[in-house]
Amino acid sequence: MDWDQIEAAARRPEATICLISALAHYDLTDEIPDALSVAIPRGMRAPATEGAIRWHRFDATTFDLGRDQVVIQGSSQLIGLYSAERTIVDCFRLRSVVGYEVARDATKEWLRRGGNPAELMSIASLLPRGKAPLLQALDVLA
């Protein structure tokens, strides 16, 4: 069981795995997260936790975009998880937090596995600050 995921889901039902933690879930990065990255809607207070959890606040109007729920391994508890496409776009939006190389390398791996750039662009067009850096990366990778 992943106790950090269980704690995040128990403290905030809307908790959603994001950024490097989501990339690691999809095996799109070699980075090993030092803490579980979890998104909650902007305006919500991040709860105090005992686990290694890094809370991020995402815009409430786009919070559910690309969000699904998965069962936490070894339990019956659910936690939110952003799609690989949403995660890649978020990594470009927040490249100052995760690093441009992480976003670029995840995109490269996702494309290698047969990902469609149009799917990334459809999500990027709905999220602020995601479209321009993603277009630049796709231009270089193509």
Side-chain angles (χ1 to χ4, degrees):
M1 279 192 262
D2 188 324
W3 293 107
D4 294 338
Q5 289 182 10
I6 290 173
E7 182 179 13
R11 300 215 186 239
R12 285 281 180 242
E14 55 283 314
T16 305
I17 300 170
C18 64
L19 301 174
I20 293 179
S21 296
L23 288 179
H25 175 83
Y26 294 114
D27 199 25
L28 290 173
T29 186
D30 292 332
E31 298 283 321
I32 299 171
D34 60 344
L36 178 66
S37 290
V38 177
I40 55 175
R42 190 169 292 131
M44 292 193 136
R45 185 182 66 79
T49 56
E50 293 180 21
I53 301 171
R54 186 169 295 120
W55 298 95
H56 301 273
R57 290 166 185 83
F58 286 7
D59 189 338
T61 59
T62 58
F63 186 79
D64 289 326
L65 181 66
R67 183 180 186 272
D68 200 5
Q69 290 205 324
V70 295
V71 176
I72 298 170
Q73 189 173 6
S75 76
S76 60
Q77 179 80 29
L78 294 174
I79 191 166
L81 173 68
Y82 282 122
S83 67
E85 297 81 8
R86 164 75 192 251
T87 300
I88 289 170
V89 173
D90 283 338
C91 286
F92 277 105
R93 286 185 327 114
L94 301 170
R95 61 195 176 279
S96 63
V97 174
V98 300
Y100 177 80
E101 295 79 17
V102 170
R104 182 202 59 217
D105 293 347
T107 304
K108 185 176 179 180
E109 178 62 20
W110 182 80
L111 290 169
R112 189 190 66 74
R113 293 181 188 177
N116 183 352
E119 293 175 38
L120 288 177
M121 291 312 301
S122 68
I123 291 176
S125 65
L126 299 172
L127 295 170
R129 299 184 336 260
K131 192 173 184 179
L134 177 60
L135 273 173
Q136 290 172 349
L138 288 173
D139 189 39
V140 169
L141 294 172

